[in-house]
Amino acid sequence: MIEVGETMGDLPTNKIVFCERSWKTPVSILAFLIFVTFAWGIYLLDHYDEDDNFHGAD
């Protein structure tokens, strides 16, 4: 029976280049860009006034 924390044998060596790189910076940039996109969309929806563009359309 395997106890918590035990492994059977050696783990394979990671050969993937991406996994050796730091991931926090790209994820932080992506999260910031997503936040800016949503904030920009909310700003546009708050300040969008189509009534000024169609005078006498009623």
Side-chain angles (χ1 to χ4, degrees), residues 11-56:
L11 295 174
T13 305
N14 187 3
K15 302 286 186 195
I16 302 172
V17 176
F18 178 76
C19 290
E20 293 175 359
R21 294 181 185 170
S22 176
W23 57 271
K24 291 181 182 180
T25 302
V27 169
S28 299
I29 292 169
L30 183 62
F32 175 73
L33 290 175
I34 290 171
F35 171 76
V36 168
T37 301
F38 276 97
W40 181 38
I42 291 169
Y43 172 80
L44 288 178
L45 288 174
D46 260 358
H47 293 88
Y48 184 73
D49 190 15
E50 69 179 41
D51 293 334
D52 291 343
N53 296 327
F54 302 105
H55 297 290

